[in-house]
Amino acid sequence: DTEVTQTPKHLVMGMTNKKSLKCEQHMGHRAMYWYKQKAKKPPELMFVYSYEKLSINESVPSRFSPECPNSSLLNLHLHALQPEDSALYLCASSQVLSQPQHFGDGTRLSIL
Amino acid sequence: QQQVKQSPQSLIVQKGGIPIINCAYENTAFDYFPWYQQFPGKGPALLIAIRPDVSEKKEGRFTISFNKSAKQFSLHIMDSQPGDSATYFCAAKEGQGAQKLVFGQGTRLTINP
């Protein structure tokens, strides 16, 4: 079991739905990340939070909206997604930006 | 622009053999080189990592060899087991600035019994 917990494990949603992905870590890490991973490809960075502030947005479409309510929790709000957004969404955390990143097991998202 | 090139894409080795996965980079600002192991349905797990001030690092059956002048690094798995069958990603990160993790394209490793 990883120390970065992501819920739900699987999510199926229509293109008009609004849903949220959740990520939690209790390791005291102050940097948290969202990645998108398509099949047989490496993870692609989406967002980085450092000390609860957004430090990197990799030109992600506005239908993805991150939120970091506190140092242990990271959310990714989803709205009006497209079929090509179907992927594994991974959360990671590290003590600070310079330290190794540890990944959760992801949320498998399918857009109908 | 692919900043970290990984090869081979796939690799099949008999149990007990030594699979070797290679990565090459161009950005000399990279100062941290981790390897991740990913099983189907799971997230990438940090396996081993190296910084450019050493040429080799061993952790159990896993060894990273690092050649700073050639800008290459590789993963060796000693006494490989079927349970090592997974996708392996090399990565690199700068020590300053955005410090984003740049991944190689991955190697799907199969260890046959």
Side-chain angles (χ1 to χ4, degrees):
Chain A
D1 289 343
T2 64
E3 295 182 82
V4 176
T5 303
Q6 291 188 243
T7 54
K9 292 191 185 307
H10 303 276
L11 179 62
V12 179
M13 57 187 286
M15 289 190 284
T16 58
N17 292 157
K18 284 185 180 181
K19 296 285 186 184
S20 297
L21 309 185
K22 181 179 172 182
C23 173
E24 247 180 314
Q25 56 86 16
H26 296 288
M27 297 179 282
H29 290 178
R30 302 311 298 272
M32 296 185 77
Y33 313 78
W34 280 115
Y35 287 85
K36 173 183 178 180
Q37 187 178 29
K38 300 286 265 185
K40 300 184 180 180
K41 295 291 186 183
E44 296 174 36
L45 184 65
M46 299 175 72
F47 302 104
V48 180
Y49 275 83
S50 178
Y51 290 89
E52 294 100 70
K53 292 193 186 325
L54 183 65
S55 66
I56 295 176
N57 176 339
E58 289 287 90
S59 303
V60 178
S62 60
R63 57 186 184 268
F64 295 90
S65 175
E67 179 196 20
C68 190
N70 59 59
S71 60
S72 301
L73 189 57
L74 186 66
N75 297 319
L76 186 63
H77 302 298
L78 314 173
H79 173 56
L81 295 194
Q82 304 298 307
E84 61 265 27
D85 296 323
S86 297
L88 181 67
Y89 287 84
L90 294 162
C91 174
S93 71
S94 61
Q95 281 188 322
V96 290
L97 288 177
S98 61
Q99 293 301 305
Q101 294 180 28
H102 299 271
F103 286 80
D105 284 336
T107 293
R108 176 75 59 188
L109 177 65
S110 297
I111 308 301
L112 300 179
Chain B
Q1 181 186 359
Q2 185 182 3
Q3 295 190 56
V4 179
K5 293 185 179 180
Q6 183 172 346
S7 63
Q9 272 190 311
S10 62
L11 183 59
I12 300 174
V13 172
Q14 289 300 117
K15 178 184 172 182
I18 305 176
I20 301 173
I21 304 171
N22 300 298
C23 287
Y25 65 97
E26 295 183 0
N27 184 350
T28 55
F30 288 149
D31 74 343
Y32 173 69
F33 302 88
W35 284 89
Y36 284 87
Q37 178 190 56
Q38 187 173 25
F39 293 106
K42 297 290 188 180
L46 181 61
L47 197 57
I48 187 173
I50 198 168
R51 294 197 183 270
D53 51 347
V54 297
S55 59
E56 186 176 277
K57 183 174 181 181
K58 288 184 181 181
E59 285 187 7
R61 296 184 293 107
F62 300 92
T63 299
I64 299 180
S65 298
F66 188 85
N67 186 329
K68 187 175 181 178
S69 60
K71 291 184 281 187
Q72 295 175 348
F73 58 110
S74 59
L75 177 70
H76 297 62
I77 305 175
M78 312 303 284
D79 187 27
S80 58
Q81 301 296 314
D84 297 327
S85 298
T87 299
Y88 292 80
F89 292 100
C90 65
K93 186 158 73 75
E94 294 183 18
Q96 302 292 329
Q99 301 191 53
K100 294 187 286 189
L101 204 52
V102 179
F103 285 90
Q105 289 301 298
T107 296
R108 180 172 284 191
L109 174 65
T110 302
I111 308 296
N112 285 331

